[in-house]
Amino acid sequence: MTKLAMISKKEWKDNELTYFHHSFQQITPYLNEEGREIHLQIIKEIESRGGLNSIDSNYIHDKNSKYRK
């Protein structure tokens, strides 16, 4: 997240946006103002790309993904 925070959300890959959106959803009740703002920026970028159904979310099925737990 630290590395990605240093670049524009527009430069993030679809799978990065999807992963962090899902992660932020899990901790929404615990986010401070800064965390909520970052999540909002991620949501806006996903929407600008056509929404979750339009972006590539194959990372969920990719066993080699660096974002898979």
Side-chain angles (χ1 to χ4, degrees):
M1 181 70 193
T2 303
K3 181 179 176 182
L4 291 173
M6 301 184 81
I7 62 173
S8 166
K9 304 291 182 286
K10 295 190 181 310
E11 295 178 37
W12 286 25
K13 296 177 185 169
D14 290 346
N15 63 339
E16 293 166 338
L17 286 167
T18 305
Y19 173 81
F20 284 106
H21 172 58
H22 176 74
S23 297
F24 275 92
Q25 281 183 312
Q26 303 303 308
I27 60 170
T28 296
Y30 309 103
L31 292 175
N32 61 16
E33 188 174 332
E34 182 181 6
R36 287 189 298 271
E37 179 59 32
I38 293 168
H39 190 206
L40 181 60
Q41 290 173 8
I42 290 169
I43 291 169
K44 287 181 179 180
E45 184 57 30
I46 289 170
E47 289 173 347
S48 77
R49 297 182 190 194
L52 289 174
N53 292 330
S54 297
I55 64 173
D56 181 17
S57 60
N58 289 332
Y59 80 92
I60 294 171
H61 305 292
D62 182 1
K63 292 181 182 178
N64 297 319
S65 176
K66 67 180 180 179
Y67 299 107
R68 186 174 175 87
K69 291 187 177 190

